[in-house]
Amino acid sequence: MDNDARQSYRDLVAASIADPETFWGEAAGLIDWITPPRQVLDDSNPPFYRWFAGGRLNVCFNALDRHVVHGRADQTALIYDSPVTGTQRRYTYAQLLDVVARFAGVLRDLGVGKGDRVVVYMPMVPEAVVAMLACARIGAVHSVVFGGFAPAELAARIEDAEPTVVVSASCGIEPSRTVPYKPMLDEAIERSAHKPDHCVILQREQLTCEMGERDLDWDQLMHPDAVAPAACVPVEATDPLYVLYTSGTTGKPKGIVRDSGGYAVALRWSMTNLYGVQPGETWLCGSDVGWVVGHSYIVYAPLLTGATTVLFEGKPVGTPDAGTYWRLVDEHDVVAVFTAPTAIRAIKKQDPDATLLAGHDLSSLRTLFLAGERLDPDTWRWATDHLGVPVVDNWWQTETGWPIATNPVGIAPFEIKPGSPTLPTAGYDVRVLDETGREVGPGTEGAICLKLPMPPGTLPTLWRDDDRYVSSYLSAFEGYYLSGDGGYVDEDGYVFVMGRTDDVLNVAGHRLSTGSLEEALAGHPAVAECAVIGVSDPLKGQVPRALVVLKAGIDPDEQGREQLAAELVQRVRSEVGAVAALRQVDIVEALPKTRSGKILRKTMRQIADGQEALVPSTIEDVSVLDDLGPVLRGS
Ligand code: COA
Ligand code: AMP
């Protein structure tokens, strides 16, 4: 390997931090601007930083029109591969531009203007991508809600984003069942204080739905006689492109704001430099458009780059088998796959010797990227041994929008240390701090923080809530963004991310809040109080477990307890969504707390995981914890 190239990457990252204006000013040249930025970094109002102030652009133009203009009109932009419906469809850049411009016209005709919000609640169909880009085209702000979320979660997002229009579909298709989306959407709107003016519904033949008063049919609206295409609307670099809600520790989701200019620059830069994907190449990101990974690396980064993106409606296993990804690589000449470690663990479980690789030509594949949760060394080893390509861990969050740390294979591949997403990337000044805010030395664990300002593409604030932005992320240590992850940096500068330091759950790479699960449980009339903890799981990384205390006077027998537990599991499915994967509810006498009433979730989690439990000296009654021990350990 090339040590000079590695040193120049380290130098490049150092330069991006020492002189962000020069570094990102140059990177801004990767994007077509209507008006070039007046200033690269506006740091006049800390802790609020803005990138590319004065610049005007259109992100949809950069993702579609400019490729059509510059010779990629007939290149495939998007391949929709859907084993669950037996469908495959390809869109060239010219075709994708045509449908996006028409759907942008539909939205415009429905009264959606610049800055208005559009909620997109859809399965993995091309129309979801079309809706997102159409919003970008007219300067509207999309807010995509993951299809696996149930009405309460959707309602919370509709209420906060206050969309003019919701775009949805009649159903989603899971391997085991067809999921009717429309009744969930109707219920969410019913629950929300804010009502959209219209819902545009894509009727899918697998399960059509009844249309109500505010509902409009996608196909009818999109008929070429019914709509005139919309042109690109210039927006400020600092205008929001989207709001994506993510889970914090409370039940109220956080609306992560993504600006337009900074995001476009950072993603375009990351695609070739970090992921090593060039214009014209095909790439598969097996996430969902409802998550940040889907926003950034199914939709925006590949299209901004002029690459071909594979939109996969299926699962790594069961659609039809654990060889699906290998088929996709072979059939579409995919150069890199991006998925979650859970997906690889699921494949490994079903096909431990990777026999399903046989018969597939994987010669196009250069790299497997994994993110969304900690990549355990066993999974890394299995994938490396069987695929024979570098398996690259990358660490980031909804808040940052693109990797904080990765192995920059596009510039200089570094030696891989299993368990580490390698080095901080450009613009991220990663520091590990102890509880007093002092930086710790190499190898010592602490809170992983990012020294402000963070690079372009990262969140400038929370949707209409600057105070919560500051209190959630910036108030723990002045001048630093608190990532919420704990870990350390070793003597070579490699970052090791060990897990969340707060109560955020990560189930199969899906980020969920203990608060929303607890709210769903607490809504049951028999529940006095409850706690949800995330315990280790060999497949999903983490799964939730619930501990519930019943109201005084409610004392069911064994059968009654089982029924109650089943009702509580069902409540979480119907309020939060099946994706929460809550299976185990234990009815207990009391929950361990500190004297100030804080439930000791971390201590319970450590006991359940068989780790040494750290019992705070402020515990109110240690016997509660002693009594819970056997339940938590499952003994
Ligand atoms: N719409 C509706 N329901 C959904 C859904 C969606 N978009 N996504 C998941 N669900 C449902 C599933 O049907 C399942 O329901 P069930 O309990 O009735 O079976 C439940 O939510 C849990 O789903 P999932 O997390 O997909 O677990 P699984 O056991 O069905 O599959 C894996 C396990 C590993 C195959 C799957 O979790 C996976 O593909 N993980 C990769 C994760 C990923 O890409 N994360 C993105 C972050 S990068
Ligand atoms: P999300 O915002 O849904 O992308 O989830 C972000 C969280 O997932 C992070 O704060 C981490 O806890 C976890 N995560 C994501 N990628 C990694 C990784 N490569 N290694 C360890 N944890 C990760």
Side-chain angles (χ1 to χ4, degrees), residues 121-124 146-149 172-177 179 181 184 285-288 291-294 312 314-318 325 338-347 370-373 396 506-511 539-540 573 577-583:
Y121 181 59
M122 292 192 108
M124 285 286 284
F146 175 58
F149 279 132
I173 297 145
E174 286 294 294
S176 55
R177 69 209 147 95
V179 185
Y181 274 34
M184 290 200 273
C285 175
S287 179
D288 186 288
W291 304 114
V292 70
V293 174
F312 173 58
K315 301 265 172 169
V317 294
Y325 277 173
F338 184 154
T339 187
T342 303
I344 300 301
R345 287 195 295 268
I347 293 170
L370 297 174
E373 57 180 320
W396 47 296
N506 193 322
V507 180
H510 307 317
R511 179 163 159 188
L539 175 65
K540 298 195 173 189
R573 275 180 84 86
V579 74
L582 175 69
R583 303 262 186 270

